[in-house]
Amino acid sequence: MDKLIITVAPVGAETTRQDNPQHPYTVDEMVHEATLALQAGASVVHLHVRNDDGTPSQDPARFQAVMERLQQLPGGGPIVQISTGGAVSATVEERLAPVKVLEPRPEMASLTCGTVNFGNDVFWNPPDMLVRFAETMKARGIVPELEIFEAGMITNAMKLAKQGLLPEHLHFDLVLGVPGAMAGTPRNLLFLVESLPSGASWTVAGTGRTELPLALMAILMGGHVRVGFEDNVYYRKGELATSNAQLVERVVRLARELDREVATPAEARQILGIGETR
Ligand code: KMH
Ligand code: ZN
């Protein structure tokens, strides 16, 4: 089994300090929160940014500021994975802007593989948009993390692969438990993993109370794990997490108990095939 890649998603576009007062908003807060999570064992940062008032942003300058600081960390820092999902209110151009202009280019970016209900909203990702996102990433040598909220999105991803728009090694993020999308049940995780092409790697991002049980399953099954305030703001029922690092630390403890070693950023790059397309 490969070593375990832990991705931290320190903040998404939806939850705020009203949900958990520890949400990072400013550049300094983002860097601080991500750094503690890395020290705890995360090797990938799935990066959304916020304005100082907490509203979601896709401003490339904001991404650049956080990314540069993370890259200065010992050992070259984590793998930075830019969110192209943004907020449901973001335009296509806003979502794509950071992957087009950031220098140096980010190593990874998320690529959601279809349209899905998202709470009371719709997360809009029609086929032509997927092609455009995949083409933009390919042109810059940015490795996509293929985000899967529903089973049909795997079929959509394979269509992009057939069109030659994806790297040889495919890496998926199985996002389960989003209200309006596929529930975060063990059966759904097993089904999705069995539906992936052979040789692909996968991470699970269980939202809310599904984060922990699905993380445990992934550790046992040879998958990888994402945790963080984007997906879940609680440590356990009725108890808010004190930091993203606290959520990472728990995954590290579980992995150690189960004799699964945790990957460094350099080891994560090897597992994800990063470098081959750069
Ligand atoms: N905030 C969601 C609408 C991604 O980062 O690529 C989309 C999202 C996915 O978070
Ligand atoms: Zn995200």
Side-chain angles (χ1 to χ4, degrees), residues 60-82:
R62 194 80 171 183
F63 278 103
Q64 184 83 38
V66 177
M67 189 177 80
E68 275 176 12
R69 296 261 304 271
L70 292 178
Q71 285 168 341
Q72 284 162 14
L73 292 173
I79 297 169
V80 175
Q81 180 191 103
I82 302 295

Side-chain angles (χ1 to χ4, degrees), residues 228-246:
F229 289 170
E230 174 168 354
D231 305 324
N232 166 45
V233 299
Y234 286 95
Y235 187 74
R236 58 169 65 89
K237 189 173 180 194
E239 183 183 326
L240 291 174
T242 55
S243 66
N244 282 277
Q246 187 194 29

Side-chain angles (χ1 to χ4, degrees), residues 13-14 46 48 83-88 110-112 118 123 147 149 226 230:
E14 289 80 27
H46 171 78
H48 288 253
S83 168
T84 66
V88 287
S110 59
L111 200 177
T112 296
F118 195 87
F123 182 27
E147 299 222 359
F149 292 64
R226 179 173 112 176
E230 174 168 354

